[in-house]
Amino acid sequence: MKISQKGLYALQAMMMLARHYNQGAIRIRDIAYEEALPEKFLELILLELKNARMVESVRGAKGGYQLRRAPSEIHLSEIIRLIDGPLAPFGDAEQLRTLISRDAEHRALYQVFLAVRDAAAKILEHTTLADIMNSKGGEVSRSSKKRKKKGEPSSVLPMVVHGNPSRGKDD
């Protein structure tokens, strides 16, 4: 499974909106600043999330974006599938099942890929924004509102971001 930079930004923006759930709409500029995201790219991501009915926009002086549903009703799998597509390394689970049934010589390999896909999908399908906001293990919440410096590595899923420059040669 690959999570693109766009997918990572979408997850970070959704986490920020979850932290401010029921506090009114948040301006794109404020989301971009707090999460250290490029504002123009964030606009496109939020439009995609709006079209998928995960967020809604509010016009006017107090306008911005807010979650359309409670953080406990938005699963990480929804966000990732919307932005990055299927969770499997080879398209989708059905494609893997077809390979398993047709390619006897490599069946065991495809079964491993399917098991990895199923395990990742299960975790992502059962983890909501509220779950990660309430997580104590990784200090997910950013209550200090400290802005990251340019070039500072992201603390969210850096090991699975495709093309991450901070990955080592042994990865």
Side-chain angles (χ1 to χ4, degrees):
M1 171 177 65
K2 294 184 221 176
I3 298 177
S4 67
Q5 193 65 49
K6 181 180 177 184
L8 183 60
Y9 288 168
L11 289 165
Q12 288 176 281
M14 293 292 280
M15 287 173 63
M16 193 272 192
L17 292 175
R19 282 194 300 275
H20 296 282
Y21 185 65
N22 282 336
Q23 295 176 5
I26 309 295
R27 296 181 316 170
I28 291 175
R29 177 175 293 145
D30 295 334
I31 299 169
Y33 180 81
E34 186 171 320
E35 293 296 323
L37 304 175
E39 193 172 328
K40 290 292 182 190
F41 195 28
L42 182 58
E43 284 181 38
L44 299 172
I45 292 167
L46 288 168
L47 183 60
E48 203 168 330
L49 291 166
K50 178 184 171 189
N51 291 337
R53 304 180 62 78
M54 285 190 216
V55 300
E56 61 187 4
S57 61
V58 177
R59 294 180 176 257
K62 300 213 185 244
Y65 283 87
Q66 60 192 18
L67 294 180
R68 196 172 171 93
R69 296 179 274 153
S72 61
E73 296 174 9
I74 301 173
H75 293 86
L76 299 184
S77 59
E78 289 180 78
I79 301 165
I80 294 169
R81 282 188 177 112
L82 173 69
I83 302 297
D84 289 330
L87 300 175
F90 291 101
D92 60 20
E94 195 53 44
Q95 186 179 3
L96 281 170
R97 288 184 189 96
T98 300
L99 288 169
I100 289 168
S101 67
R102 290 185 182 167
D103 188 350
E105 186 177 349
H106 301 109
R107 180 173 291 138
L109 175 64
Y110 296 131
Q111 287 172 329
V112 169
F113 286 148
L114 183 61
V116 168
R117 180 257 171 228
D118 289 346
K122 182 178 179 184
I123 292 167
L124 294 170
E125 287 168 355
H126 290 91
T127 304
T128 66
L129 288 173
D131 294 333
I132 60 175
M133 299 315 302
N134 296 330
S135 173
K136 301 290 183 209
E139 272 313 303
V140 174
S141 181
R142 204 184 279 168
S143 57
S144 66
K145 292 190 179 184
K146 180 181 141 191
R147 184 177 166 113
K148 293 187 299 187
K149 294 181 179 121
K150 271 194 172 183
E152 184 176 301
S154 175
S155 61
V156 180
L157 304 175
M159 72 292 290
V160 293
V161 176
H162 181 63
N164 186 346
S166 66
R167 291 178 68 178
K169 291 180 182 169
D170 296 335
D171 289 349

